[in-house]
């Protein structure tokens, strides 16, 4: 179950941990569940719950078939432990007959690259299910693999989440992200998928489930990137900083016995927040720089490549260091918005360079020698994607001039 908005608990002690049985070194090949039907096998070995099935693989690219006769709705967890022989890679899939009973439809898969240890789960209604073991690459006809399934009727709302391909999406919330989950089996694997649209520094902690009546058995959190390279391991009761770049990440919660629970807390570390900016000068190319008045008030005149220079202030109205400042200028040509960003220095100052597309020239102003064509365009400022006030609101966007 998930709840949000709870304060992060500081680490005071190091809890004992247990390593997840059959802990993979994941490097999955990307494959989505396919709608392509498989023929129902003429024969399949019946699996009995909790009984380890020792077997050798079929020939390359052929599937070894097993059957589970499920009598009531429950979570089925199937684990495959293969030999560690170099170059041997087995895949695990779960199927169910289609409505017509004429073919098999794939329900779940686990296919870690370059290894033969796999696990998947499925919330299964009563019926017949088929398990397929395929040699994706390599064969070891001397050392058998071990196949076993277990079931549980009590599981949390995140299930089935026993493989990265079944991982629910984890969304960061403000001020904190909180996730409470339980282990329904000793070998229950829990995965979460985290997608980040920007570089994101966070603090992560795992500890006891918020429901204190649920026992705690020590849970390690492993963080992998999209290529399934290990990024960080988070130990229980230790608030750990992690810098994550833009991209996709997978979180695996390892360890913990059936009936135990754990809690995950994540706090995003946001940069300092500016409350307002003061623009002191805007440099521009084309010999048109200046703070002038064309009749619509004093404004900075800009063209082409410009540099916006100013100071950012915090809520205490003092200059603020290391604060992100973004600028948005909406020009007339193509109704484009030009955006750029910089961070303030130690004294709160910043300089933001950007390049503007040409102006249209909707307005004119006559001097003694020439007629100036220009647009009036809005300029806005943000800090951490929040709008901040400024001493300027618009600009004269210079287009061209014609001698009179």
């Amino acid at each position: 179950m998930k709840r949000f908005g709870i304060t992060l608990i500081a680490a005071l002690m190091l809890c004992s941990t247990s390593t997840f049985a059959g802990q993979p070194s994941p490097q999955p090949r990307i494959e989505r569940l396919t709608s392509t039907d498989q023929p129902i096998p003429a024969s399949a070995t019946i699996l009995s719950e909790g009984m380890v099935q020792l077997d050798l693989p079929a020939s390359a690219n052929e599937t070894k078939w097993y059957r589970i006769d499920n009598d009531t709705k429950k979570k089925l967890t199937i684990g495959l432990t293969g030999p560690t022989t170099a170059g041997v890679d087995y895949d695990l899939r779960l199927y169910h007959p289609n409505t017509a009973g004429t073919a098999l439809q794939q329900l779940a898969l686990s296919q870690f690259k370059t290894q033969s240890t796999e696990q998947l789960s499925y919330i299964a209604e009563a019926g017949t299910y088929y398990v397929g073991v395929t040699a994706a690459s390599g064969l070891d006809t001397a050392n058998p693999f071990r196949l076993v399934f277990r079931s549980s009727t009590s599981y949390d709302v995140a299930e089935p989440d026993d493989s990265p391909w079944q991982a629910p999406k984890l969304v960061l919330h403000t001020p904190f992200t909180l996730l409470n989950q339980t282990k329904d089996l000793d070998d229950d694997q829990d995965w979460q998928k985290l997608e980040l649209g920007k570089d994101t520094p966070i603090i992560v902690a795992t500890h006891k489930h918020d429901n204190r009546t649920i026992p705690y058995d020590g849970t390690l959190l492993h963080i992998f990137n999209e290529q399934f390279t290990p990024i960080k391991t988070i130990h229980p009761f230790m608030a750990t900083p992690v810098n994550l770049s833009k991209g996709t990440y997978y979180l695996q919660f390892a360890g913990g016995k059936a009936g135990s629970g754990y809690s995950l807390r994540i706090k995003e570390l946001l940069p300092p927040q500016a409350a307002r900016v003061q623009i002191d000068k805007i440099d521009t190319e084309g010999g048109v720089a200046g703070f002038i008045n064309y009749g619509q008030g004093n404004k900075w005149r800009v063209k082409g490549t410009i540099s916006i220079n100013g100071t950012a202030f915090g809520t205490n109205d003092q200059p603020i260091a290391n604060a992100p400042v973004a600028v948005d200028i909406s020009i007339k040509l193509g109704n484009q918005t030009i955006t750029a960003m910089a961070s303030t220095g130690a004294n709160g100052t910043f300089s933001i360079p950007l390049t503007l597309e040409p102006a249209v020239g909707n307005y004119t102003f006559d001097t003694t020698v020439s007629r100036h064509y220009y647009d009036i365009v809005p300029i806005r400022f943000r800090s951490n994607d929040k709008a901040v006030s400024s001493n300027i609101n618009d600009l004269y966007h210079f287009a061209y001039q014609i001698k009179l």
Side-chain angles (χ1 to χ4, degrees):
M1 298 177 65
K2 301 178 182 179
R3 296 185 292 144
F4 300 96
I6 306 297
T7 304
L8 185 68
I9 294 180
L12 297 176
M13 58 179 290
L14 177 62
C15 180
S16 62
T17 61
S18 57
T19 304
F20 195 88
Q23 173 76 16
S25 173
Q27 289 183 316
R29 296 183 304 280
I30 300 302
E31 177 182 313
R32 303 303 178 194
L33 294 185
T34 175
S35 59
T36 303
D37 292 343
Q38 296 288 330
I40 296 177
S43 63
T45 302
I46 296 176
L47 294 179
S48 298
E49 182 172 358
M51 300 296 292
V52 176
Q53 177 72 41
L54 296 175
D55 212 341
L56 293 170
S59 58
N61 297 320
E62 291 187 6
T63 300
K64 201 92 172 194
W65 289 104
Y66 306 88
R67 194 180 84 197
I68 297 174
D69 295 319
N70 187 41
D71 57 356
T72 186
K73 182 178 179 178
K74 63 183 74 167
K75 177 193 169 190
L76 303 180
T77 301
I78 300 101
L80 171 69
T81 304
T84 58
T85 309
V88 172
D89 178 14
Y90 300 159
D91 291 344
L92 180 67
R93 291 175 172 82
L94 179 67
Y95 298 86
H96 185 265
N98 60 14
T99 304
T102 57
L104 296 181
Q105 293 180 326
Q106 184 172 294
L107 302 175
L109 79 159
S110 179
Q111 51 172 22
F112 289 107
K113 187 179 180 181
T114 67
Q115 69 175 47
S116 53
T117 295
E118 309 285 347
Q119 182 161 313
L120 58 80
S121 61
Y122 187 74
I123 309 302
E125 301 290 342
T128 299
Y129 295 83
Y130 289 86
V131 177
V133 176
T134 306
S137 64
L139 284 174
D140 187 337
T141 57
N143 299 297
F145 58 78
R146 298 161 57 92
L147 185 66
V148 65
F149 95 89
R150 295 181 177 88
S151 69
S152 54
T153 56
S154 179
Y155 41 84
D156 63 31
V157 295
E159 299 291 354
D161 59 356
D162 280 60
S163 81
W165 299 273
Q166 299 175 306
K169 286 186 179 181
L170 181 65
V171 179
L172 296 185
H173 289 253
T174 302
F176 299 98
T177 301
L178 173 62
L179 174 69
N180 281 301
Q181 292 197 167
T182 57
K183 297 280 188 173
D184 59 272
L185 294 169
D186 287 354
D187 53 358
D188 181 21
Q189 290 194 34
D190 291 337
W191 290 82
Q192 293 281 326
K193 182 179 182 180
L194 179 61
E195 296 177 320
L196 299 175
K198 60 183 177 65
D199 295 351
T200 307
I202 58 177
I203 289 182
V204 187
T206 62
H207 46 82
K208 293 180 179 179
H209 196 288
D210 281 2
N211 181 347
R212 298 307 187 188
T213 64
I214 297 176
Y216 181 71
D217 193 47
T219 300
L220 287 175
L221 169 59
H222 302 290
I223 302 176
F224 302 91
N225 64 13
E226 194 167 16
Q227 290 72 43
F228 278 75
T229 302
I231 299 297
K232 195 79 170 180
T233 293
I234 310 299
H235 294 270
F237 294 97
M238 296 190 67
T240 305
V242 184
N243 292 317
L244 298 178
S245 302
K246 177 183 177 180
T248 299
Y249 296 87
Y250 291 92
L251 283 61
Q252 183 201 36
F253 300 88
K257 295 186 180 300
S260 67
Y262 61 89
S263 180
L264 167 72
R265 281 172 167 81
I266 298 178
K267 177 178 174 56
E268 182 178 355
L269 297 178
L270 296 174
Q273 176 67 48
R276 70 177 181 90
V277 296
Q278 174 80 28
I279 303 306
D280 303 315
K281 184 181 180 183
I282 299 182
D283 297 315
T284 186
E285 66 179 5
V288 300
F291 193 64
I292 66 170
N293 190 343
Y294 273 147
Q296 292 92 3
N298 290 315
K299 309 178 194 298
W300 290 98
R301 185 170 60 182
V302 296
K303 178 184 179 182
T305 299
I306 69 174
S307 180
I308 303 169
N309 306 287
T311 304
F313 298 85
T315 54
N316 60 357
D317 213 32
Q318 296 298 310
I320 185 170
N322 303 315
V325 177
V327 61
D328 302 310
I329 301 177
S330 299
I331 65 173
K332 301 303 180 182
L333 183 65
N335 293 319
Q336 302 177 68
T337 297
I338 311 300
T339 298
M341 186 180 72
S343 293
T344 60
N347 58 357
T349 60
F350 61 87
S351 181
I352 306 177
L354 59 83
T355 300
L356 299 174
E357 297 292 331
V360 173
N362 289 327
Y363 292 85
T364 60
F365 180 82
D366 289 346
T367 69
T368 56
V369 295
S370 62
R371 175 169 295 162
H372 292 189
Y373 291 80
Y374 62 95
D375 300 323
I376 299 176
V377 297
I379 181 171
R380 301 289 183 265
F381 294 89
R382 295 175 286 114
S383 179
N384 292 317
D385 287 330
K386 294 182 180 179
V388 296
S389 61
S390 170
N391 61 320
I392 65 171
N393 296 309
D394 45 26
L395 307 166
Y396 290 127
H397 187 193
F398 190 81
Y400 54 91
Q401 61 181 329
I402 297 176
K403 290 185 178 180
L404 296 175

